[in-house]
Amino acid sequence: MEMENRTLALRDIRQIAHKMRASGLSSIELTDGHYRLRLKTSPRPVPQPSAAVPAPAATPQKNESLCAPMPGVVLLQHPLADRPYITPGALAEKDALLGLLKVGPVYLPLRSPVKGVVASVAIAQGECVEYGEPIFTLLPAEEAA
């Protein structure tokens, strides 16, 4: 009986960690009967403006898009529930759960980047998305008022 190769290549692990960091995900755990992999990344440092540079004048804000952090299947409602996480026109707090992205056996949260009103949902329940594809468009709360 031949044993199946169930290892992850270091190159693949680095790609996963890079995509995690780019999407703001701080930890992920992958398990199988033959291995367990736990990855933790530190958040990207946010550049602080220097005190010598004057702050830019207030400009009108634009719509914020929430794009797919990696390829997967979009779930706009809990897999076991019949109601959506959020609907167009609803107010979403910053970091509110808007949906899930199913990547293999892993469910990644899709969280609101700003406090605002959900202007549109570009993807239907269960549709596949590619990296960077817009899923939600939000109008910041200041503009929605």
Side-chain angles (χ1 to χ4, degrees):
M1 187 183 229
E2 190 172 312
M3 184 176 211
E4 186 178 335
N5 185 3
R6 305 282 300 190
T7 61
L8 291 173
L10 184 57
R11 173 180 42 104
D12 295 333
I13 295 170
R14 284 186 181 143
Q15 286 178 342
I16 292 169
H18 176 71
K19 288 180 181 180
M20 284 175 54
R21 190 167 196 203
S23 69
L25 191 62
S26 63
S27 67
I28 189 171
E29 185 173 325
L30 305 170
T31 58
D32 190 332
H34 305 288
Y35 66 86
R36 180 176 181 176
L37 173 67
R38 184 179 302 160
L39 299 173
K40 291 186 179 184
T41 62
S42 58
R44 284 187 171 179
V46 177
Q48 298 295 324
S50 64
V53 178
T59 58
Q61 293 182 343
K62 297 181 180 177
N63 291 349
E64 289 281 334
S65 291
L66 174 62
C67 298
M70 60 185 56
V73 176
V74 174
L75 300 175
L76 300 175
Q77 62 189 35
H78 189 278
L80 302 176
D82 288 334
R83 64 180 193 273
Y85 287 109
I86 198 153
T87 57
L91 178 65
E93 294 293 324
K94 182 173 179 9
D95 295 325
L97 183 64
L98 302 179
L100 297 173
L101 183 66
K102 185 172 189 255
V103 181
V106 178
Y107 291 87
L108 302 176
L110 297 171
R111 298 199 179 272
S112 175
V114 295
K115 178 180 179 179
V117 174
V118 178
S120 67
V121 181
I123 304 297
Q125 169 75 7
E127 282 189 18
C128 295
V129 291
E130 294 297 323
Y131 171 78
E133 191 173 340
I135 300 172
F136 295 95
T137 302
L138 291 104
L139 184 61
E142 296 80 32
E143 283 194 20

